[in-house]
C-alpha cells in the first residue's frame, strides 16, 4: 500500500452495539420495537409527533446508561496521534465517539443530544425530554424536533465528506451494513480517487466486494489492533 497521509473512517451501528446500543434494524426489520416508517420519517413526525418525540426521548436517556467501548477509544487515540488529515464520519446518533475523546468527527445522520428548529433551522444542545411544540430559544417558534436525519432527508455535511473522500489515501468502514445510502457509496468514491479501502465488520456487508480488504470480528478487537498497527507503521 502507498504511504498514507489522509484517512476517512466511516462508523456505523456495529461500533456502538458493543456498548449496548441497539442496532438500527432488529428482528423482523423493527427498530427497537417500532417500524422505521413510524419513527424515522418526516411523515411520521407530522402524523404522530408525540410518538416520534417519545421514541427519541427514550433513546437519548438510554445513551446515559452506556459508555464508550475499546473501538471508540482506539479511534480517539488515532485522532489524537495522527499527523495527517483524518475525518471520522459516523452514522451513529449517540455521543460515544466524543465521550471517548474524538474531535475530528461529524455526525452525518444527526445527534440525539441536539434539537433542531423546524422553523428557523437553529440547533441547540439538548439533554432530557424534548416534548412536541417545545419553543426554540432562537426564534421562539414551538417547532423544536429531534436533530435526526429522517429517511427522505439529506444527510449532513455531504460536501465536506465528499471532499475528504477525494483527498483520502485510506478509507476504512467499521461496523456498517453497507446497505444505507449515501454512506454505502463512500467506498466507491474513495476507490475512484485512488484510496486504499478496508472494511472492519462483524460479518461481510452488502458492500464487501468493493473493498480491497475485509477483516471480520468484533469492532472492540479489530479496531484497536488496526490502530496499533497503523500508528506503529
Amino acid at each position: 500500500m502507498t504511504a498514507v497521509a489522509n484517512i476517512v473512517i466511516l462508523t456505523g451501528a456495529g461500533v456502538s452495539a458493543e456498548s449496548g446500543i441497539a442496532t438500527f434494524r432488529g428482528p423482523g426489520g423493527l427498530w427497537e420495537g417500532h417500524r422505521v416508517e413510524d419513527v424515522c420519517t418526516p411523515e411520521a413526525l407530522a402524523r404522530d409527533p408525540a410518538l416520534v418525540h417519545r421514541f427519541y426521548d427514550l433513546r437519548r436517556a438510554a445513551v446515559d446508561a452506556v459508555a464508550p467501548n475499546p473501538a471508540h477509544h482506539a479511534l480517539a487515540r488515532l485522532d489524537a496521534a495522527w499527523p495527517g488529515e483524518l475525518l471520522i464520519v459516523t452514522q451513529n446518533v449517540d455521543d460515544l465517539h466524543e465521550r471517548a475523546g474524538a474531535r475530528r468527527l461529524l455526525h452525518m445522520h444527526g445527534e440525539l443530544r441536539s434539537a433542531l428548529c423546524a422553523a428557523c433551522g437553529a440547533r441547540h444542545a439538548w439533554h432530557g425530554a424534548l416534548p412536541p411544540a417545545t419553543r426554540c430559544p432562537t426564534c421562539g417558534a414551538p417547532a423544536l424536533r429531534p436533530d435526526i436525519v429522517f429517511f427522505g432527508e439529506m444527510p449532513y455535511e455531504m460536501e465536506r465528506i465528499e471532499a475528504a473522500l477525494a483527498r483520502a489515501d485510506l478509507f476504512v468502514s467499521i461496523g456498517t451494513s453497507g446497505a444505507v445510502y449515501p454512506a454505502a457509496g463512500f467506498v466507491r468514491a474513495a476507490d475512484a480517487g485512488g484510496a486504499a479501502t478496508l472494511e472492519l465488520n462483524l460479518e461481510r456487508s452488502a458492500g464487501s466486494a468493493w473493498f480491497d480488504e475485509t477483516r471480520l470480528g468484533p469492532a472492540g478487537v479489530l479496531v484497536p489492533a488496526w490502530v496499533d498497527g497503523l500508528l506503529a507503521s
Side-chain angles (χ1 to χ4, degrees), residues 57 60 112-115 124-131 134-135 137 144:
D57 286 349
R60 198 175 301 112
L112 284 170
R113 298 197 189 279
S114 177
H124 302 277
W126 204 266
H127 296 266
L130 177 64
T134 298
R135 292 192 176 275
L144 286 188

Side-chain angles (χ1 to χ4, degrees), residues 80-206:
W82 190 251
E85 288 189 27
L86 182 140
L87 180 63
I88 301 169
V89 179
T90 187
Q91 296 172 281
N92 299 332
V93 294
D94 60 67
D95 62 349
L96 295 179
H97 280 303
E98 290 95 330
R99 284 159 58 188
R103 294 294 177 264
R104 290 184 277 181
L105 170 76
L106 68 83
H107 287 264
M108 65 178 295
H109 290 162
E111 303 179 57
L112 284 170
R113 298 197 189 279
S114 177
L116 170 68
C117 180
C120 74
R123 290 186 171 86
H124 302 277
W126 204 266
H127 296 266
L130 177 64
T134 298
R135 292 192 176 275
C136 172
T138 298
C139 73
L144 286 188
R145 53 162 274 189
D147 189 9
I148 302 296
V149 176
F150 291 154
F151 280 92
E153 297 178 332
M154 180 61 68
Y156 294 149
E157 300 202 60
M158 285 302 299
E159 289 186 2
R160 180 182 172 194
I161 295 169
E162 290 164 359
L165 288 169
R167 294 191 302 270
D169 303 304
L170 175 63
F171 171 71
V172 185
S173 176
I174 305 171
T176 69
S177 67
V180 178
Y181 283 84
F186 290 175
V187 60
R188 279 174 274 184
D191 179 72
T197 57
L198 170 66
E199 177 181 48
L200 307 177
N201 214 6
L202 195 58
E203 56 190 19
R204 292 183 68 83
S205 73

Side-chain angles (χ1 to χ4, degrees), residues 25-47:
R25 290 185 188 271
L30 299 179
W31 190 11
E32 298 184 6
H34 295 272
R35 294 189 316 143
V36 171
E37 295 79 4
D38 292 335
V39 292
C40 197
T41 64
E43 295 78 14
L45 182 63
R47 181 176 62 248

